[in-house]
């Protein structure tokens, strides 16, 4: 059974994607079958850090009520029962769908006595599935201007369910890379995870957003351990780690500022890739090794 | 003959103040005008005033169900604007100041109101502010430490 590890963190730009990609790479290096899922559907960019491409797309559609004017008896039952008030009904007139408030629940479609509501749909996003460096990659993308990002995340989860229910299922580890924030997209991913890793940095912003995401993780009753990225920033490392300790927040490891990490980020080759030519004695490299060891121990994923 | 809907305070009526919010006004005053004169006045409570969401759409429904052809608004949110446009109602902009229903109808009769075609505020504008007249977009303040239970962080 595949173990699901969720890389998250309230704050943007803390290094979630960097860590997700490098942990996926480390698991692959150790002979595991890895699926990496990019759940930051408003800014899917995990593939960029691996020099991958967006390919093999499938569409994610969203329900849109359309009214068959010949069948509609103008009874108003649909509008009366629409919880989002997405159907504008004036007596003796055909209801008008106000699509941007429609939740997609299809109640109108189901209850119309004359079947005058047609279940139309529009494409609001895409799911890509690709493979880079022997890591399977699943990427969700919400189309710009669309609001319902959680629908894309749900579609990603459905896709994973299909993969996991397949009797040829082969994954040992599934790594989620979430969006920043503590909203429903992130919640959906954490909910599915066995182990949660919030990534933060030793700044006031990092601290505040970490506490927010921990609040969410606690609500969902999940185990978590923190990674402190850019830990050497301005010399706050020890103070920050102590503060986490004082608050009973467990730490999986920390990653200091490191030029190799920046380089790997810019050229799109994961630092921990076997074929990368980074210094295996570098402080970034070593910190990832320590984190991997700790994670393997914590999650029980071992060779 | 034309019926004009005006979002109003209290139970509505010509002498009541106009309410600057379309979706969440307490009442609508419907004024029937013929030959540039007020013929009839009717007030209807706005049951959408406290709706969780979709107030603009429900308010537009009330306006439509009372056969209004035109509406005068202070602020108008996006869903309300879309709803009123789909009902093909003419939308007039009231001046941004405290004004009674009667005064704004007089401005209308003097052709001093401008037609608008789209929303002029975002969703849920003006909620939880007690609904006074006159705009004023305050600069938000508030410092606060928040989450004290986790301190000394």
């Amino acid at each position: 059974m595949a173990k699901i590890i969720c890389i998250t963190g309230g704050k943007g730009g803390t290094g979630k994607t960097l860590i997700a990609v490098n942990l996926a790479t480390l698991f692959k290096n150790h002979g595991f079958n890895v699926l990496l899922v990019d759940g930051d559907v408003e800014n899917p960019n995990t593939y960029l850090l691996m020099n991958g491409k967006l390919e093999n797309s499938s569409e994610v559609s969203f329900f849109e009520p359309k009214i068959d004017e010949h069948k509609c008896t103008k009874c108003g039952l649909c509008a009366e029962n629409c919880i989002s008030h997405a159907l504008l009904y004036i007596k003796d007139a055909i209801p008008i769908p106000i699509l941007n408030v429609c939740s997609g629940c299809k109640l109108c479609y189901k209850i119309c006595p004359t079947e005058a509501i047609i279940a139309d749909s529009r494409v609001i996003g895409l799911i890509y599935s690709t493979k880079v460096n022997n890591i399977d990659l699943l990427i969700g993308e919400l189309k710009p201007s669309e609001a319902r990002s959680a629908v894309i995340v749900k579609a990603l989860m459905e896709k994973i369910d299909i993969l996991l229910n397949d009797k040829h299922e082969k994954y040992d580890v599934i790594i989620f890379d979430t969006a920043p924030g503590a909203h429903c997209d992130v919640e959906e991913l954490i909910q599915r995870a066995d182990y949660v890793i919030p990534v933060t940095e030793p700044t006031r912003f990092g601290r505040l957003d970490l506490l927010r995401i921990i609040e969410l993780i606690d609500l969902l009753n999940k185990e978590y351990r923190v990674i402190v990225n850019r830990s050497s920033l301005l010399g706050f490392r020890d103070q920050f780690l102590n503060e986490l300790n004082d608050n009973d927040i467990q730490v999986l490891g920390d990653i200091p500022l490191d030029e190799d990490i920046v380089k790997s980020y810019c050229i799109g080759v994961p630092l921990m890739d076997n074929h990368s030519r980074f210094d295996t004695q570098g402080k970034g490299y070593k910190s990832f090794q320590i984190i991997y060891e700790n994670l393997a121990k914590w999650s029980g994923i071992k060779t | 003959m034309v019926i004009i809907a005006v979002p109003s305070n209290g139970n509505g009526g010509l002498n009541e103040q106009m309410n600057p919010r379309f979706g969440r006004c307490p009442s609508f005053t419907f004024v029937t005008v013929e030959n540039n004169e007020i013929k009839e006045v009717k007030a209807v409570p706005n049951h959408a005033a406290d709706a969780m969401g979709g107030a603009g759409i429900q308010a537009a429904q009330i306006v439509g169900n009372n056969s209004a052809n035109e509406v005068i608004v202070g602020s108008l949110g996006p869903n309300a604007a879309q709803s009123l446009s789909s009902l093909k109602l003419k939308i007039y902009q009231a001046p941004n100041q405290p004004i009674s229903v009667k005064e704004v109808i007089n401005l209308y009769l003097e052709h001093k109101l401008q037609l608008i075609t789209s929303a002029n505020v975002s969703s849920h504008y003006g909620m939880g502010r007690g609904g006074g007249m006159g705009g004023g977009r305050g600069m938000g303040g508030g410092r606060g430490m928040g989450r004290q239970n986790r301190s000394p962080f």
Side-chain angles (χ1 to χ4, degrees):
Chain A
M1 190 63 184
K3 296 228 165 130
I4 301 180
I5 298 166
C6 181
I7 314 295
T8 187
K11 186 181 176 299
T14 51
K16 290 180 291 299
T17 301
L18 176 93
I19 288 167
V21 167
N22 278 292
L23 287 180
T25 305
L26 278 160
F27 277 113
K28 182 208 66 178
N29 291 350
H30 284 79
F32 293 109
N33 283 315
V34 184
L35 172 67
L36 178 57
V37 181
D38 191 345
D40 186 357
V41 301
E42 291 186 41
N43 280 303
N45 50 21
T46 307
Y47 69 100
L48 285 179
L49 277 186
M50 308 169 74
N51 265 337
K53 276 197 284 275
L54 289 176
E55 50 196 2
N56 298 327
S57 65
S58 56
E59 294 180 335
V60 181
S61 303
F62 190 71
F63 168 76
E64 263 188 21
K66 207 173 174 180
I67 295 174
D68 183 333
E69 304 196 353
H70 301 293
K71 285 188 183 173
C72 179
T73 57
K74 303 169 187 169
C75 71
L77 188 72
C78 55
E80 215 174 284
N81 286 286
C82 177
I83 293 165
S84 334
H85 304 291
L87 289 155
L88 174 61
Y89 171 65
I90 307 299
K91 55 183 183 287
D92 303 324
I94 287 169
I96 303 164
I98 308 288
L99 295 176
N100 52 342
V101 298
C102 173
S103 73
C105 76
K106 293 192 186 169
L107 183 69
C108 54
Y109 167 72
K110 289 172 190 160
I111 64 170
C112 175
T114 58
E115 295 180 348
I117 294 189
I118 303 159
D120 203 359
S121 68
R122 67 176 189 278
V123 175
I124 64 164
L126 297 165
I127 286 179
Y128 303 91
S129 64
T130 174
K131 194 180 187 100
V132 197
N133 288 336
N134 267 325
I135 295 171
D136 285 352
L137 201 54
L138 206 55
I139 301 158
E141 182 189 31
L142 179 73
K143 287 197 164 184
S145 92
E146 288 292 349
R148 302 202 179 264
S149 53
V151 173
I152 309 289
V153 179
K154 285 217 170 82
L156 274 175
M157 294 302 105
E158 279 162 22
K159 194 112 187 174
I160 290 169
D161 282 336
I162 293 169
L163 287 173
L164 292 182
N165 286 329
D166 184 345
K167 58 177 183 292
H168 303 298
E169 191 264 300
K170 51 178 183 171
Y171 296 114
D172 305 300
V173 186
I174 299 178
I175 294 182
F176 290 168
D177 180 18
T178 79
H183 47 89
C184 53
D185 297 14
V186 178
E187 181 181 345
E188 184 87 29
L189 291 160
I190 293 177
Q191 183 75 64
R192 287 295 304 266
D194 300 306
Y195 304 94
V196 185
I197 304 177
V199 180
T200 188
E201 59 178 33
T203 64
R204 291 170 69 189
F205 299 94
R207 182 180 297 166
L208 177 71
D209 293 348
L210 175 67
L211 294 180
R212 279 173 56 82
I213 195 76
I214 286 177
E215 210 172 301
L216 176 64
I217 300 168
D218 279 341
L219 276 173
L220 299 172
N221 256 327
K222 295 284 175 178
E223 276 192 64
Y224 66 91
R225 293 199 182 166
V226 173
I227 291 179
V228 182
N229 191 16
R230 301 190 192 96
S231 57
S232 57
L233 193 72
L234 301 171
F236 287 136
R237 176 183 181 274
D238 294 347
Q239 191 194 335
F240 195 78
L241 291 177
N242 284 337
E243 283 173 349
L244 292 179
N245 189 39
D246 291 346
N247 284 270
D248 296 324
I249 295 170
Q250 298 214 58
V251 176
L252 199 62
D254 68 292
I255 303 166
L257 293 170
D258 177 58
E259 243 175 63
D260 280 350
I261 293 181
V262 179
K263 209 179 287 169
S264 83
Y265 190 91
C266 295
I267 61 175
V269 175
L271 178 72
M272 304 314 285
D273 194 297
N274 276 338
H275 304 292
S276 76
R277 300 215 177 100
F278 293 107
D279 178 9
T280 55
Q281 295 306 307
K283 34 189 184 145
Y285 199 97
K286 279 178 150 176
S287 67
F288 266 110
Q289 280 179 322
I290 294 169
I291 286 171
Y292 178 76
E293 292 300 319
N294 289 343
L295 174 58
K297 235 180 274 168
W298 176 39
S299 61
I301 307 170
K302 280 180 193 158
T303 26
Chain B
M1 189 192 81
V2 58
I3 299 176
I4 308 147
V6 183
S8 46
N9 279 351
N11 296 325
L14 280 185
N15 295 321
E16 194 55 84
Q17 288 291 109
M18 179 180 170
N19 190 288
R21 297 175 305 164
F22 175 78
R24 297 178 187 280
C25 59
S27 60
F28 281 103
T29 302
F30 293 91
V31 182
T32 307
V33 169
E34 206 171 350
N35 302 324
N36 230 36
E37 270 174 39
I38 297 174
K39 284 283 175 228
E40 199 189 324
V41 179
K42 181 175 80 170
V44 173
N46 176 18
H47 59 70
D50 299 318
M52 288 278 288
I57 300 165
Q58 295 174 78
Q61 223 156 251
I62 295 171
V63 168
N65 276 326
N66 284 281
S67 319
N69 320 92
E70 306 186 353
V71 52
I72 302 175
V73 299
S75 49
L76 185 68
N79 292 331
Q82 195 193 332
S83 304
L84 293 177
S85 316
S86 7
L87 296 177
K88 300 189 170 56
L89 264 63
K90 274 189 180 171
I91 311 166
Y92 289 93
Q93 175 75 61
N96 186 16
Q97 65 190 54
I99 189 167
S100 70
V101 173
K102 194 176 191 169
E103 287 164 338
V104 86
I105 289 290
N106 283 336
L107 290 176
Y108 168 88
L109 295 174
E110 292 161 23
H111 305 286
K112 283 184 179 159
L113 297 180
Q114 286 234 308
L115 270 173
I116 59 170
T117 51
S118 60
N120 54 21
V121 295
S122 58
S123 293
H124 296 258
Y125 177 84
M127 278 187 73
R129 305 195 321 169
M133 277 294 285
R137 260 158 234 239
M139 295 281 291
R143 262 149 219 231
M145 287 291 290
R147 238 167 296 276
Q148 292 291 338
N149 55 340
R150 279 273 189 189
S151 57
F153 238 43

